[in-house]
């Protein structure tokens, strides 16, 4: 465990966020491994099917991420207040609720997968593989849900290294199992999905076992209630807006994917390769946001408001350095990195699509940095409904690009959909962040004023 309420903010956040960076990268390795194996050992159509399916699975991942945020914010706040018995109850409540929710959502997703893919205008030649991938993937969704909750708890307690170790082992194993199922067992796209199912399930079970052990060590031998409706309500107040906000983003991405599908299989393959590559880098910025969420929540519980602001500025500085590195890699390395997903001849046919998307994402990354840091800080302060508005703004921007921009300007507009969405969200989030911080200061001042003096 690590107390994020002491020490120099920049150093504390750097040390805390580095394992989160690693965790995000290894999380992306799951999808990158799937696309790598599909593109190299099956076909470009298989690569397109995996990428097309991923846009649907992102909606379910958004819900799991919302539960992660809700659990981690409430747990971190209780930890900052040193309410250890409530920390234990919060953890068991989250695991019980999310386990049940995961099973229900898995069933709904499997029953509606073909319908959702039809809404995407999925080409006939990729429909069968896309349906198979989604349905097998969702069989392990409950374990993904539990894993996300467990990692949120570890992060709330200041331990970002343990989930990193779990994910590193699981992701690397997934690569080898992917290759085994597809190259040696000739299972095609379903083999890619079964590999993810196997590794994701094991990592979810192991994470839950370790988090229960960790929480037991924190509390000691004291008896604590296993379930609390009050704590569940607190978590849901944060989790539901966060999940909806993430779902808005996913729906916006789905609308863009639907437009991309209209350009044909080659464009789909190039788009998939670019998104997989850029997600590896772009979502690493999310690690800074996740770090800020728990950092903010712990310091909020401890009443250290100036420290929250200092941490935000330090986090933005770290992110700007990362963005500069990413721009250089995208500008000069995309033509080589695309070979991760296909052979040289196939890469040449889609390279123009891949490069144009990669450049747009890379130069827009500073905008995404602001979105993640300010949004997750706001959530850490308990104002999830405001972050919901930012997600809605992102969806509106992507929808406008899909409906109006692409018919007017073609593929170039699709490349700019996400950067424009991030810019619009920043316009709302930056002033909202300062408003929330000042509101929490005033609230604390009122409480101190009302306390009886001795």
């Amino acid at each position: 465990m690590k107390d994020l309420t002491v020490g120099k903010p920049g150093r504390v956040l750097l040390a805390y966020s580095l394992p989160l960076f690693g965790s995000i990268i290894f999380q992306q390795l799951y999808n990158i491994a799937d696309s790598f194996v599909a593109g190299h050992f099956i076909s470009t159509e298989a690569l397109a099917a995996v990428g097309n399916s991923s846009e649907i699975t992102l909606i379910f991942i958004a819900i799991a991420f919302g539960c992660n945020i809700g659990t981690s914010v409430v747990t971190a706040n209780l930890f900052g207040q040193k309410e250890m018995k409530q920390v234990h109850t919060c953890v068991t409540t989250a695991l019980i609720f999310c386990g049940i929710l995961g099973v229900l959502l898995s069933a709904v997703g499997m029953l509606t997968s073909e319908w959702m893919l039809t809404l995407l205008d999925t080409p006939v030649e990729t429909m069968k593989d896309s349906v198979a991938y989604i349905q097998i993937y969702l069989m392990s969704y409950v374990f993904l849900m539990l894993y996300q909750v467990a990692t949120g708890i570890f992060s709330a307690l200041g331990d970002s290294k343990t989930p990193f170790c779990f994910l590193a082992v699981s992701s690397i194993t997934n690569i080898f199992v992917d290759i085994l199922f597809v190259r040696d067992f000739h299972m095609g796209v379903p083999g890619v999905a079964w590999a993810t199912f196997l590794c994701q399930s094991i990592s979810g079970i192991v994470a839950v076992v370790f988090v229960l052990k960790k929480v037991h060590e924190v509390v000691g031998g004291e008896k604590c209630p296993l379930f609390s409706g009050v704590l569940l309500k607190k978590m849901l107040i944060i989790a539901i807006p966060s999940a909806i906000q993430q779902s808005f983003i996913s729906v916006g991405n789905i609308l863009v994917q639907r437009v991309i599908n209209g350009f044909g299989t080659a464009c789909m393959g190039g788009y998939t390769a670019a998104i997989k590559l850029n997600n590896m880098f772009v979502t690493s910025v999310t690690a800074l946001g996740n770090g800020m969420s728990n950092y903010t929540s712990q310091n909020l519980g401890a009443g250290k408001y100036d420290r929250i602001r200092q941490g935000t500025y330090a986090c933005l500085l770290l992110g700007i350095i990362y963005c500069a590195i990413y721009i250089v890699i995208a500008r000069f390395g995309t033509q080589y990195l695309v070979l991760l997903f296909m052979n040289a001849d196939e890469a040449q046919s889609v390279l123009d699509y891949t490069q144009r998307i990669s450049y747009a994402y890379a130069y827009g990354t500073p905008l995404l940095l602001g979105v993640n840091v300010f949004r997750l800080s706001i959530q850490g302060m308990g104002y999830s409904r405001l972050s919901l508005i930012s997600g809605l703004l992102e969806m509106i921007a992507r929808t406008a690009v899909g409906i109006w921009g692409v018919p007017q300007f073609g593929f170039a507009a699709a490349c700019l959909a996400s950067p424009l969405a991030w810019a619009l969200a920043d316009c709302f989030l930056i002033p909202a962040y300062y408003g929330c911080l000042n509101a929490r200061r005033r609230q604390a001042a009122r409480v101190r004023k009302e306390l009886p003096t001795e």
Side-chain angles (χ1 to χ4, degrees), residues 73-91:
V73 167
V74 175
T75 304
N77 192 262
L78 293 171
F79 183 71
Q81 297 175 43
K82 310 305 178 189
E83 294 284 351
M84 298 308 177
K85 288 183 70 174
Q86 289 211 68
V87 166
H88 182 282
T89 303
C90 185
V91 168

Side-chain angles (χ1 to χ4, degrees), residues 299-429:
N299 282 281
L300 183 69
K304 298 184 177 182
Y305 301 98
D306 286 336
R307 185 175 172 81
I308 293 173
R309 178 177 48 79
Q310 292 165 5
T312 302
Y313 296 155
C315 196
L316 289 170
L317 177 60
L318 291 172
I320 288 296
I321 296 170
Y322 173 80
C323 290
I325 296 171
Y326 170 46
I327 289 171
V328 173
I329 293 172
R331 188 67 183 83
F332 299 103
T334 299
Q335 59 183 320
Y336 306 108
L337 291 172
V338 74
L339 296 175
L340 288 170
F341 304 106
M342 56 194 76
N343 61 44
D345 291 337
E346 291 175 324
Q348 196 60 41
S349 68
V350 304
L351 185 59
D352 180 59
Y353 294 119
T354 305
Q355 284 184 320
R356 289 163 72 183
I357 295 170
S358 292
Y359 297 165
Y361 270 60
Y363 289 113
T365 307
L367 298 171
L368 179 62
L369 171 67
V371 170
N372 277 288
V373 171
F374 289 113
R375 175 187 287 154
L376 272 296
S377 295
I378 288 169
Q379 289 180 340
M381 285 185 270
Y383 292 100
S384 286
R385 292 178 184 176
L386 294 180
S387 68
L388 171 63
I389 296 173
S390 70
L392 178 60
L393 291 173
E394 286 193 55
M395 186 184 75
I396 291 171
R398 289 187 174 95
T399 303
V401 169
I403 293 174
W404 177 80
V406 173
Q408 293 290 324
F409 303 104
F411 183 74
C415 296
L416 294 174
S418 288
L420 289 173
W422 300 332
L424 185 59
D426 276 329
C427 291
F428 171 78
L429 286 167

Side-chain angles (χ1 to χ4, degrees), residues 113-187:
S113 57
E114 188 168 355
W115 172 74
M116 289 188 286
L117 286 165
T118 302
L119 290 180
L120 268 178
D121 279 352
T122 301
V124 175
E125 60 267 28
T126 64
M127 176 63 83
K128 183 179 177 181
D129 282 338
S130 294
V131 171
Y133 183 88
I134 289 176
Q135 292 190 340
I136 296 168
Y137 181 95
L138 288 176
M139 289 181 190
S140 65
Y141 180 68
V142 63
F143 299 106
L144 171 66
M145 178 78 82
L146 292 173
Y147 175 82
Q148 285 290 336
V149 172
T151 55
I153 294 163
F154 276 119
S155 299
L157 299 177
D159 181 1
S160 54
K161 293 180 181 177
T162 300
F164 165 72
C165 293
F166 290 152
L167 200 51
V169 173
S170 180
S171 299
I172 293 170
T173 303
N174 182 59
I175 295 172
F176 291 104
V177 178
D178 264 340
I179 295 172
L180 176 68
F181 283 3
V182 173
R183 187 188 65 183
D184 299 333
F185 294 170
H186 308 291
M187 295 172 66

